[in-house]
Amino acid sequence: MKKYQAYLIDLDGTIYAGSKRYPKAKQFVERLQAAHIPFKFVTNNTTKLPVDVVANLADNHDIHVTTDNVYTAGLATADFLDQRAGTTGKRTVYVVGEIGLRQALAAKGFTVDEDHPEYVVVGLDSDVTYEKFAKAILAIRSGSTFIGTNSDSNIPKARGLMPGAGALVDLVRYATQTEPIFVGKPEPIILENSLQQLGVAPADAIMVGDNYQTDILAGIHAGVDTLLTYTGVSTPAQVAQQAVAPTYTVPDLAHWDLEAGPID
């Protein structure tokens, strides 16, 4: 096994499950830090800003990192739309989502338009209402470009597998009969941007996650080796049915050696 120069790591289901701690994942992060191996948490969670992710890791999971270690699908969506809008001046959005997504878009100069936005962005929103969906659907039917932050059907929480952003996106897709442009995992852009920030080539990095349909496929699409841990969404039976297997699988991150790979 090659020694990887950088790790891209999912959060929910991989490092923790909501408020539930994963001690073995905490030890894995501490091993990376002790070995001075660069890493970035690449998460489809758009509800939080990097500073909130850092605070949650420290306060609730005793994992201590900086905002440089965090890249969210909210940031990736804002970066994607910033590049797409360019200098056109078309920077109006209607957002179904929470503060992490809204602030990321605002930081790139996007303003809210509830009636005729250039883009409708749908992400996870725990306070979503019928009226929010209605505004998004009417705007898309009137010509707004439909953006989905990510396609996660579920997210692991202490209560179990809760509805993810993809479930909300699918409601809008069904009501508009319009396919969204997805930005987060399993699309490769969020990993490509993370690697660019780290200054590491895809061949020298590995993507670590619990969900084959998002984390592992993102790695495959980005040309990055993958490590699937069975601590969240995907099960061995589900993974066995996939056409392309993860590069490695482990029961949990205690079974991964930074030098030797999987540990029996």
Side-chain angles (χ1 to χ4, degrees):
M1 189 205 84
K2 60 184 173 184
K3 182 177 179 180
Y4 294 99
Q5 296 179 19
Y7 281 68
L8 306 178
I9 311 166
D10 176 57
L11 283 173
D12 274 331
T14 301
I15 300 299
Y16 55 71
S19 60
K20 182 180 178 181
R21 292 189 175 192
Y22 284 1
K24 294 173 183 177
K26 165 181 158 62
Q27 294 163 8
F28 167 73
V29 173
E30 291 171 345
R31 286 190 281 125
L32 287 173
Q33 291 171 324
H36 302 290
I37 298 174
F39 65 92
K40 195 173 284 286
F41 292 119
V42 182
T43 172
N44 270 356
N45 187 338
T46 60
T47 65
K48 304 295 185 184
L49 293 166
V51 65
D52 300 317
V53 174
V54 169
N56 175 56
L57 286 166
D59 297 343
N60 298 318
H61 303 283
D62 196 26
I63 296 172
H64 302 279
V65 299
T66 72
T67 54
D68 288 339
N69 294 116
V70 179
Y71 192 60
T72 70
L75 293 177
T77 299
D79 286 340
F80 172 77
L81 289 184
D82 181 47
Q83 294 167 5
R84 185 182 177 102
T87 58
T88 64
K90 297 179 179 179
R91 290 179 176 267
T92 56
V93 292
Y94 179 71
V95 180
V96 176
E98 299 185 22
I99 188 170
L101 178 59
R102 293 177 181 276
Q103 288 197 10
L105 289 164
K108 292 294 184 179
F110 288 90
T111 58
V112 174
D113 182 342
E114 295 190 355
D115 299 314
H116 302 289
E118 186 71 19
Y119 305 101
V120 170
V121 182
V122 180
L124 187 60
D125 187 339
S126 59
D127 293 319
V128 71
T129 64
Y130 184 90
E131 182 61 19
K132 286 184 182 180
F133 279 131
K135 288 179 179 178
I137 290 160
L138 289 169
I140 292 167
R141 284 191 168 277
S142 295
S144 300
T145 301
F146 181 15
I147 306 293
T149 60
N150 63 84
S151 58
D152 285 9
S153 59
N154 300 90
I155 50 176
K157 296 293 184 182
R159 293 169 62 187
L161 291 177
M162 303 293 285
L168 276 63
V169 172
D170 264 0
L171 187 152
V172 177
R173 171 170 27 200
Y174 185 75
T176 60
Q177 298 297 298
T178 301
E179 290 298 315
I181 299 171
F182 281 115
V183 176
K185 297 174 293 184
E187 301 307 315
I189 184 171
I190 191 169
L191 270 62
E192 293 167 350
N193 289 357
S194 297
L195 290 173
Q196 185 176 31
Q197 292 172 14
L198 289 168
V200 175
D204 296 320
I206 186 167
M207 175 69 212
V208 184
D210 69 292
N211 188 332
Y212 182 92
Q213 297 300 332
T214 55
D215 307 319
I216 302 308
L217 282 180
I220 292 169
H221 294 158
V224 175
D225 282 356
T226 55
L227 169 62
L228 188 140
T229 173
Y230 290 118
T231 53
V233 172
S234 295
T235 67
Q238 291 169 342
V239 172
Q241 300 300 313
Q242 305 302 322
V244 180
T247 312
Y248 311 98
T249 60
V250 290
D252 56 57
L253 292 174
H255 286 79
W256 180 258
D257 186 282
L258 300 180
E259 299 283 347
I263 303 170
D264 294 332

